[in-house]
mmCIF file of all heavy atoms in Angstrom:
data_model
loop_
_atom_site.group_PDB
_atom_site.id
_atom_site.type_symbol
_atom_site.label_atom_id
_atom_site.label_comp_id
_atom_site.label_asym_id
_atom_site.label_seq_id
_atom_site.Cartn_x
_atom_site.Cartn_y
_atom_site.Cartn_z
ATOM 1 N N VAL A 14 91.093 116.514 154.362
ATOM 2 C CA VAL A 14 91.405 116.844 155.756
ATOM 3 C C VAL A 14 92.874 117.236 155.877
ATOM 4 O O VAL A 14 93.229 118.192 156.567
ATOM 5 C CB VAL A 14 91.090 115.657 156.691
ATOM 6 C CG1 VAL A 14 91.493 115.975 158.128
ATOM 7 C CG2 VAL A 14 89.606 115.317 156.633
ATOM 8 N N TYR A 15 93.744 116.470 155.197
ATOM 9 C CA TYR A 15 95.174 116.771 155.167
ATOM 10 C C TYR A 15 95.583 117.156 153.753
ATOM 11 O O TYR A 15 95.205 116.468 152.792
ATOM 12 C CB TYR A 15 96.011 115.552 155.567
ATOM 13 C CG TYR A 15 95.835 115.052 156.973
ATOM 14 C CD1 TYR A 15 96.046 113.705 157.263
ATOM 15 C CD2 TYR A 15 95.503 115.908 158.017
ATOM 16 C CE1 TYR A 15 95.914 113.214 158.552
ATOM 17 C CE2 TYR A 15 95.357 115.436 159.311
ATOM 18 C CZ TYR A 15 95.560 114.076 159.570
ATOM 19 O OH TYR A 15 95.425 113.603 160.843
ATOM 20 N N PRO A 16 96.357 118.211 153.597
ATOM 21 C CA PRO A 16 96.960 118.471 152.282
ATOM 22 C C PRO A 16 98.074 117.457 152.054
ATOM 23 O O PRO A 16 98.861 117.171 152.952
ATOM 24 C CB PRO A 16 97.515 119.893 152.431
ATOM 25 C CG PRO A 16 97.787 120.038 153.905
ATOM 26 C CD PRO A 16 96.731 119.230 154.603
ATOM 27 N N ILE A 17 98.130 116.882 150.855
ATOM 28 C CA ILE A 17 99.155 115.880 150.613
ATOM 29 C C ILE A 17 100.512 116.549 150.395
ATOM 30 O O ILE A 17 100.588 117.710 149.984
ATOM 31 C CB ILE A 17 98.796 114.980 149.419
ATOM 32 C CG1 ILE A 17 98.681 115.783 148.124
ATOM 33 C CG2 ILE A 17 97.514 114.217 149.700
ATOM 34 C CD1 ILE A 17 98.425 114.921 146.900
ATOM 35 N N THR A 18 101.557 115.813 150.690
ATOM 36 C CA THR A 18 102.916 116.330 150.504
ATOM 37 C C THR A 18 103.308 116.294 149.042
ATOM 38 O O THR A 18 103.949 117.210 148.525
ATOM 39 C CB THR A 18 103.912 115.509 151.350
ATOM 40 O OG1 THR A 18 103.496 115.543 152.724
ATOM 41 C CG2 THR A 18 105.314 116.073 151.245
ATOM 42 N N SER A 19 102.918 115.220 148.358
ATOM 43 C CA SER A 19 103.167 115.116 146.920
ATOM 44 C C SER A 19 102.192 114.110 146.323
ATOM 45 O O SER A 19 101.573 113.319 147.038
ATOM 46 C CB SER A 19 104.610 114.686 146.638
ATOM 47 O OG SER A 19 104.877 113.407 147.195
ATOM 48 N N GLY A 20 102.051 114.152 144.992
ATOM 49 C CA GLY A 20 101.141 113.247 144.304
ATOM 50 C C GLY A 20 99.921 113.982 143.766
ATOM 51 O O GLY A 20 99.815 115.216 143.870
ATOM 52 N N GLU A 21 98.986 113.215 143.223
ATOM 53 C CA GLU A 21 97.771 113.786 142.653
ATOM 54 C C GLU A 21 96.569 112.904 142.985
ATOM 55 O O GLU A 21 96.694 111.683 143.123
ATOM 56 C CB GLU A 21 97.875 113.912 141.126
ATOM 57 C CG GLU A 21 98.967 114.867 140.640
ATOM 58 C CD GLU A 21 98.662 116.330 140.915
ATOM 59 O OE1 GLU A 21 97.544 116.639 141.365
ATOM 60 O OE2 GLU A 21 99.551 117.167 140.661
ATOM 61 N N ILE A 22 95.389 113.555 143.095
ATOM 62 C CA ILE A 22 94.139 112.850 143.353
ATOM 63 C C ILE A 22 93.116 113.317 142.323
ATOM 64 O O ILE A 22 92.919 114.528 142.131
ATOM 65 C CB ILE A 22 93.618 113.122 144.780
ATOM 66 C CG1 ILE A 22 94.673 112.741 145.815
ATOM 67 C CG2 ILE A 22 92.311 112.347 145.034
ATOM 68 C CD1 ILE A 22 94.308 113.126 147.245
ATOM 69 N N TYR A 23 92.443 112.349 141.663
ATOM 70 C CA TYR A 23 91.452 112.661 140.645
ATOM 71 C C TYR A 23 90.137 111.963 140.975
ATOM 72 O O TYR A 23 90.125 110.804 141.396
ATOM 73 C CB TYR A 23 91.925 112.192 139.265
ATOM 74 C CG TYR A 23 93.184 112.872 138.776
ATOM 75 C CD1 TYR A 23 94.434 112.325 139.063
ATOM 76 C CD2 TYR A 23 93.124 114.044 138.030
ATOM 77 C CE1 TYR A 23 95.596 112.937 138.624
ATOM 78 C CE2 TYR A 23 94.286 114.665 137.576
ATOM 79 C CZ TYR A 23 95.515 114.109 137.887
ATOM 80 O OH TYR A 23 96.666 114.725 137.444
ATOM 81 N N PHE A 24 89.037 112.685 140.781
ATOM 82 C CA PHE A 24 87.707 112.114 140.971
ATOM 83 C C PHE A 24 86.896 112.361 139.711
ATOM 84 O O PHE A 24 86.752 113.500 139.283
ATOM 85 C CB PHE A 24 87.012 112.739 142.187
ATOM 86 C CG PHE A 24 85.669 112.141 142.490
ATOM 87 C CD1 PHE A 24 85.549 110.818 142.897
ATOM 88 C CD2 PHE A 24 84.511 112.892 142.368
ATOM 89 C CE1 PHE A 24 84.317 110.260 143.172
ATOM 90 C CE2 PHE A 24 83.271 112.344 142.648
ATOM 91 C CZ PHE A 24 83.180 111.014 143.044
ATOM 92 N N LYS A 25 86.430 111.295 139.092
ATOM 93 C CA LYS A 25 85.724 111.372 137.807
ATOM 94 C C LYS A 25 86.550 112.141 136.774
ATOM 95 O O LYS A 25 86.026 112.914 135.977
ATOM 96 C CB LYS A 25 84.338 112.005 137.987
ATOM 97 C CG LYS A 25 83.396 111.177 138.851
ATOM 98 C CD LYS A 25 81.972 111.690 138.818
ATOM 99 C CE LYS A 25 81.859 113.068 139.412
ATOM 100 N NZ LYS A 25 80.427 113.513 139.501
ATOM 101 N N GLY A 26 87.853 111.939 136.813
ATOM 102 C CA GLY A 26 88.750 112.560 135.851
ATOM 103 C C GLY A 26 89.155 113.981 136.180
ATOM 104 O O GLY A 26 89.994 114.565 135.491
ATOM 105 N N GLU A 27 88.577 114.545 137.251
ATOM 106 C CA GLU A 27 88.871 115.934 137.629
ATOM 107 C C GLU A 27 89.864 115.956 138.788
ATOM 108 O O GLU A 27 89.707 115.242 139.777
ATOM 109 C CB GLU A 27 87.586 116.650 138.041
ATOM 110 C CG GLU A 27 87.794 118.086 138.456
ATOM 111 C CD GLU A 27 86.510 118.759 138.903
ATOM 112 O OE1 GLU A 27 85.433 118.132 138.767
ATOM 113 O OE2 GLU A 27 86.569 119.894 139.391
ATOM 114 N N ARG A 28 90.854 116.786 138.692
ATOM 115 C CA ARG A 28 91.860 116.907 139.751
ATOM 116 C C ARG A 28 91.244 117.579 140.975
ATOM 117 O O ARG A 28 90.726 118.684 140.884
ATOM 118 C CB ARG A 28 93.046 117.735 139.248
ATOM 119 C CG ARG A 28 94.199 117.878 140.244
ATOM 120 C CD ARG A 28 95.357 118.588 139.555
ATOM 121 N NE ARG A 28 96.495 118.785 140.449
ATOM 122 C CZ ARG A 28 96.711 119.890 141.166
ATOM 123 N NH1 ARG A 28 95.852 120.909 141.087
ATOM 124 N NH2 ARG A 28 97.764 119.985 141.947
ATOM 125 N N ILE A 29 91.314 116.898 142.121
ATOM 126 C CA ILE A 29 90.758 117.459 143.360
ATOM 127 C C ILE A 29 91.836 117.582 144.436
ATOM 128 O O ILE A 29 91.527 117.770 145.612
ATOM 129 C CB ILE A 29 89.591 116.595 143.889
ATOM 130 C CG1 ILE A 29 90.056 115.168 144.232
ATOM 131 C CG2 ILE A 29 88.442 116.561 142.895
ATOM 132 C CD1 ILE A 29 89.029 114.363 145.020
ATOM 133 N N THR A 30 93.083 117.522 144.032
ATOM 134 C CA THR A 30 94.207 117.445 144.958
ATOM 135 C C THR A 30 94.183 118.530 146.024
ATOM 136 O O THR A 30 94.421 118.266 147.194
ATOM 137 C CB THR A 30 95.538 117.518 144.183
ATOM 138 O OG1 THR A 30 95.523 116.528 143.164
ATOM 139 C CG2 THR A 30 96.713 117.273 145.112
ATOM 140 N N LEU A 31 93.878 119.756 145.658
ATOM 141 C CA LEU A 31 93.989 120.873 146.596
ATOM 142 C C LEU A 31 92.637 121.428 147.043
ATOM 143 O O LEU A 31 92.578 122.475 147.688
ATOM 144 C CB LEU A 31 94.824 121.994 145.966
ATOM 145 C CG LEU A 31 96.265 121.613 145.582
ATOM 146 C CD1 LEU A 31 96.948 122.788 144.892
ATOM 147 C CD2 LEU A 31 97.052 121.184 146.813
ATOM 148 N N LEU A 32 91.549 120.728 146.726
ATOM 149 C CA LEU A 32 90.229 121.233 147.097
ATOM 150 C C LEU A 32 89.981 121.118 148.599
ATOM 151 O O LEU A 32 90.486 120.212 149.270
ATOM 152 C CB LEU A 32 89.138 120.464 146.351
ATOM 153 C CG LEU A 32 89.018 120.687 144.848
ATOM 154 C CD1 LEU A 32 87.802 119.941 144.309
ATOM 155 C CD2 LEU A 32 88.915 122.172 144.512
ATOM 156 N N LYS A 33 89.149 122.024 149.122
ATOM 157 C CA LYS A 33 88.761 121.969 150.527
ATOM 158 C C LYS A 33 87.712 120.886 150.741
ATOM 159 O O LYS A 33 87.054 120.437 149.812
ATOM 160 C CB LYS A 33 88.224 123.333 150.968
ATOM 161 C CG LYS A 33 89.277 124.440 150.940
ATOM 162 C CD LYS A 33 88.698 125.765 151.409
ATOM 163 C CE LYS A 33 89.745 126.858 151.399
ATOM 164 N NZ LYS A 33 89.185 128.168 151.845
ATOM 165 N N GLN A 34 87.536 120.522 152.027
ATOM 166 C CA GLN A 34 86.659 119.404 152.357
ATOM 167 C C GLN A 34 85.239 119.586 151.832
ATOM 168 O O GLN A 34 84.648 118.645 151.288
ATOM 169 C CB GLN A 34 86.622 119.215 153.880
ATOM 170 C CG GLN A 34 87.938 118.791 154.498
ATOM 171 C CD GLN A 34 87.820 118.656 156.001
ATOM 172 O OE1 GLN A 34 87.037 117.856 156.524
ATOM 173 N NE2 GLN A 34 88.607 119.440 156.729
ATOM 174 N N ASP A 35 84.659 120.771 152.031
ATOM 175 C CA ASP A 35 83.268 120.962 151.642
ATOM 176 C C ASP A 35 83.092 120.866 150.131
ATOM 177 O O ASP A 35 82.077 120.350 149.639
ATOM 178 C CB ASP A 35 82.735 122.310 152.160
ATOM 179 C CG ASP A 35 83.503 123.502 151.626
ATOM 180 O OD1 ASP A 35 84.725 123.379 151.417
ATOM 181 O OD2 ASP A 35 82.893 124.568 151.418
ATOM 182 N N LEU A 36 84.088 121.321 149.372
ATOM 183 C CA LEU A 36 84.008 121.231 147.924
ATOM 184 C C LEU A 36 84.139 119.784 147.451
ATOM 185 O O LEU A 36 83.506 119.372 146.483
ATOM 186 C CB LEU A 36 85.089 122.091 147.278
ATOM 187 C CG LEU A 36 84.946 123.602 147.491
ATOM 188 C CD1 LEU A 36 86.108 124.341 146.848
ATOM 189 C CD2 LEU A 36 83.614 124.102 146.923
ATOM 190 N N ILE A 37 84.946 119.011 148.162
ATOM 191 C CA ILE A 37 85.096 117.590 147.826
ATOM 192 C C ILE A 37 83.786 116.855 148.066
ATOM 193 O O ILE A 37 83.374 116.006 147.269
ATOM 194 C CB ILE A 37 86.255 116.971 148.634
ATOM 195 C CG1 ILE A 37 87.589 117.515 148.110
ATOM 196 C CG2 ILE A 37 86.229 115.446 148.558
ATOM 197 C CD1 ILE A 37 88.801 117.079 148.903
ATOM 198 N N VAL A 38 83.092 117.197 149.156
ATOM 199 C CA VAL A 38 81.779 116.596 149.428
ATOM 200 C C VAL A 38 80.811 116.946 148.310
ATOM 201 O O VAL A 38 80.047 116.096 147.822
ATOM 202 C CB VAL A 38 81.225 117.054 150.788
ATOM 203 C CG1 VAL A 38 79.784 116.570 150.966
ATOM 204 C CG2 VAL A 38 82.091 116.526 151.924
ATOM 205 N N ARG A 39 80.831 118.197 147.876
ATOM 206 C CA ARG A 39 79.938 118.622 146.789
ATOM 207 C C ARG A 39 80.234 117.875 145.494
ATOM 208 O O ARG A 39 79.335 117.657 144.678
ATOM 209 C CB ARG A 39 80.073 120.133 146.564
ATOM 210 C CG ARG A 39 79.474 120.980 147.669
ATOM 211 C CD ARG A 39 79.653 122.457 147.380
ATOM 212 N NE ARG A 39 79.205 123.282 148.474
ATOM 213 C CZ ARG A 39 77.948 123.700 148.638
ATOM 214 N NH1 ARG A 39 77.036 123.362 147.741
ATOM 215 N NH2 ARG A 39 77.609 124.456 149.663
ATOM 216 N N LYS A 40 81.483 117.482 145.308
ATOM 217 C CA LYS A 40 81.850 116.729 144.105
ATOM 218 C C LYS A 40 81.274 115.313 144.128
ATOM 219 O O LYS A 40 81.129 114.685 143.072
ATOM 220 C CB LYS A 40 83.376 116.647 143.966
ATOM 221 C CG LYS A 40 84.073 117.977 143.723
ATOM 222 C CD LYS A 40 83.762 118.523 142.349
ATOM 223 C CE LYS A 40 84.525 119.821 142.106
ATOM 224 N NZ LYS A 40 84.163 120.431 140.798
ATOM 225 N N GLY A 41 80.983 114.812 145.346
ATOM 226 C CA GLY A 41 80.391 113.480 145.426
ATOM 227 C C GLY A 41 81.146 112.465 146.253
ATOM 228 O O GLY A 41 80.909 111.264 146.125
ATOM 229 N N LEU A 42 82.049 112.919 147.127
ATOM 230 C CA LEU A 42 82.744 112.027 148.051
ATOM 231 C C LEU A 42 82.306 112.362 149.472
ATOM 232 O O LEU A 42 82.322 113.537 149.871
ATOM 233 C CB LEU A 42 84.263 112.191 147.970
ATOM 234 C CG LEU A 42 84.984 111.728 146.714
ATOM 235 C CD1 LEU A 42 84.971 112.816 145.663
ATOM 236 C CD2 LEU A 42 86.431 111.347 147.039
ATOM 237 N N CYS A 43 81.924 111.361 150.232
ATOM 238 C CA CYS A 43 81.536 111.603 151.612
ATOM 239 C C CYS A 43 82.015 110.434 152.459
ATOM 240 O O CYS A 43 82.081 109.296 151.994
ATOM 241 C CB CYS A 43 80.027 111.773 151.744
ATOM 242 S SG CYS A 43 79.528 112.518 153.310
ATOM 243 N N ARG A 44 82.311 110.696 153.723
ATOM 244 C CA ARG A 44 82.945 109.695 154.562
ATOM 245 C C ARG A 44 82.290 109.587 155.932
ATOM 246 O O ARG A 44 81.566 110.490 156.369
ATOM 247 C CB ARG A 44 84.412 110.052 154.776
ATOM 248 C CG ARG A 44 84.580 111.334 155.589
ATOM 249 C CD ARG A 44 86.006 111.588 155.973
ATOM 250 N NE ARG A 44 86.540 110.558 156.856
ATOM 251 C CZ ARG A 44 87.789 110.559 157.309
ATOM 252 N NH1 ARG A 44 88.616 111.525 156.958
ATOM 253 N NH2 ARG A 44 88.201 109.616 158.110
ATOM 254 N N THR A 45 82.556 108.460 156.569
ATOM 255 C CA THR A 45 82.306 108.319 157.997
ATOM 256 C C THR A 45 83.679 108.308 158.674
ATOM 257 O O THR A 45 84.721 108.319 158.012
ATOM 258 C CB THR A 45 81.552 107.021 158.322
ATOM 259 O OG1 THR A 45 82.367 105.897 157.960
ATOM 260 C CG2 THR A 45 80.233 106.968 157.574
ATOM 261 N N PHE A 46 83.665 108.259 160.007
ATOM 262 C CA PHE A 46 84.921 108.351 160.746
ATOM 263 C C PHE A 46 85.133 107.126 161.616
ATOM 264 O O PHE A 46 84.179 106.468 162.035
ATOM 265 C CB PHE A 46 84.928 109.614 161.624
ATOM 266 C CG PHE A 46 84.991 110.891 160.835
ATOM 267 C CD1 PHE A 46 83.837 111.467 160.333
ATOM 268 C CD2 PHE A 46 86.200 111.510 160.582
ATOM 269 C CE1 PHE A 46 83.877 112.637 159.596
ATOM 270 C CE2 PHE A 46 86.258 112.682 159.839
ATOM 271 C CZ PHE A 46 85.092 113.248 159.352
ATOM 272 N N GLN A 47 86.419 106.839 161.892
ATOM 273 C CA GLN A 47 86.763 105.709 162.744
ATOM 274 C C GLN A 47 86.163 105.894 164.133
ATOM 275 O O GLN A 47 85.594 104.966 164.707
ATOM 276 C CB GLN A 47 88.279 105.573 162.835
ATOM 277 C CG GLN A 47 88.744 104.366 163.646
ATOM 278 C CD GLN A 47 90.256 104.213 163.616
ATOM 279 O OE1 GLN A 47 90.954 104.916 162.880
ATOM 280 N NE2 GLN A 47 90.764 103.297 164.403
ATOM 281 N N GLU A 48 86.293 107.095 164.658
ATOM 282 C CA GLU A 48 85.668 107.426 165.941
ATOM 283 C C GLU A 48 84.289 108.011 165.632
ATOM 284 O O GLU A 48 84.164 108.950 164.856
ATOM 285 C CB GLU A 48 86.517 108.434 166.715
ATOM 286 C CG GLU A 48 87.878 107.894 167.122
ATOM 287 C CD GLU A 48 88.703 108.926 167.857
ATOM 288 O OE1 GLU A 48 88.195 110.064 168.055
ATOM 289 O OE2 GLU A 48 89.840 108.624 168.216
ATOM 290 N N LEU A 49 83.283 107.438 166.242
ATOM 291 C CA LEU A 49 81.905 107.839 165.973
ATOM 292 C C LEU A 49 81.734 109.348 166.142
ATOM 293 O O LEU A 49 82.082 109.897 167.183
ATOM 294 C CB LEU A 49 80.969 107.089 166.926
ATOM 295 C CG LEU A 49 79.473 107.187 166.634
ATOM 296 C CD1 LEU A 49 79.157 106.545 165.290
ATOM 297 C CD2 LEU A 49 78.696 106.480 167.736
ATOM 298 N N ARG A 50 81.204 110.013 165.135
ATOM 299 C CA ARG A 50 81.038 111.470 165.182
ATOM 300 C C ARG A 50 79.595 111.833 164.865
ATOM 301 O O ARG A 50 79.304 112.388 163.798
ATOM 302 C CB ARG A 50 81.994 112.151 164.201
ATOM 303 C CG ARG A 50 83.454 111.967 164.555
ATOM 304 C CD ARG A 50 84.345 112.871 163.756
ATOM 305 N NE ARG A 50 85.747 112.662 164.042
ATOM 306 C CZ ARG A 50 86.738 113.372 163.515
ATOM 307 N NH1 ARG A 50 86.468 114.351 162.670
ATOM 308 N NH2 ARG A 50 87.992 113.105 163.812
ATOM 309 N N ILE A 51 78.707 111.499 165.771
ATOM 310 C CA ILE A 51 77.339 111.974 165.656
ATOM 311 C C ILE A 51 77.089 112.966 166.775
ATOM 312 O O ILE A 51 77.818 113.011 167.767
ATOM 313 C CB ILE A 51 76.322 110.824 165.704
ATOM 314 C CG1 ILE A 51 76.371 110.101 167.059
ATOM 315 C CG2 ILE A 51 76.537 109.849 164.567
ATOM 316 C CD1 ILE A 51 75.250 109.104 167.233
ATOM 317 N N PHE A 52 76.047 113.763 166.614
ATOM 318 C CA PHE A 52 75.684 114.735 167.638
ATOM 319 C C PHE A 52 74.701 114.054 168.582
ATOM 320 O O PHE A 52 73.503 113.958 168.302
ATOM 321 C CB PHE A 52 75.078 115.982 166.983
ATOM 322 C CG PHE A 52 76.039 116.694 166.076
ATOM 323 C CD1 PHE A 52 76.088 116.387 164.727
ATOM 324 C CD2 PHE A 52 76.905 117.651 166.576
ATOM 325 C CE1 PHE A 52 76.985 117.030 163.881
ATOM 326 C CE2 PHE A 52 77.805 118.307 165.742
ATOM 327 C CZ PHE A 52 77.842 117.994 164.389
ATOM 328 N N LYS A 53 75.227 113.584 169.694
ATOM 329 C CA LYS A 53 74.451 112.702 170.562
ATOM 330 C C LYS A 53 73.284 113.394 171.235
ATOM 331 O O LYS A 53 72.316 112.748 171.624
ATOM 332 C CB LYS A 53 75.374 112.060 171.609
ATOM 333 C CG LYS A 53 76.388 111.113 170.989
ATOM 334 C CD LYS A 53 77.136 110.312 172.036
ATOM 335 C CE LYS A 53 78.055 109.286 171.376
ATOM 336 N NZ LYS A 53 78.736 108.437 172.376
ATOM 337 N N ASN A 54 73.344 114.715 171.396
ATOM 338 C CA ASN A 54 72.248 115.441 172.038
ATOM 339 C C ASN A 54 71.171 115.884 171.056
ATOM 340 O O ASN A 54 70.158 116.446 171.462
ATOM 341 C CB ASN A 54 72.795 116.654 172.799
ATOM 342 C CG ASN A 54 73.598 116.250 174.015
ATOM 343 O OD1 ASN A 54 73.266 115.268 174.682
ATOM 344 N ND2 ASN A 54 74.661 116.992 174.305
#
């Protein structure tokens, strides 16, 4: 969601530091949110 200012992030040994959100989800990371984000209708 945010590009980091510095540092590195690795998932299963692969660098994902600059990947976009959808690609990160495809890699196998998925999240929920502090504020409920469902489509109520």
Side-chain angles (χ1 to χ4, degrees):
V14 177
Y15 296 152
I17 62 176
T18 304
S19 61
E21 296 290 353
I22 303 173
Y23 297 90
F24 183 66
K25 296 190 296 186
E27 180 182 353
R28 183 174 179 266
I29 62 168
T30 307
L31 300 177
L32 290 185
K33 295 181 179 179
Q34 294 179 61
D35 60 326
L36 294 178
I37 289 175
V38 172
R39 289 180 185 273
K40 294 291 183 184
L42 291 86
C43 196
R44 66 172 296 179
T45 63
F46 291 85
Q47 183 176 352
E48 296 179 1
L49 191 64
R50 295 192 183 183
I51 63 171
F52 298 92
K53 294 190 175 183
N54 291 324

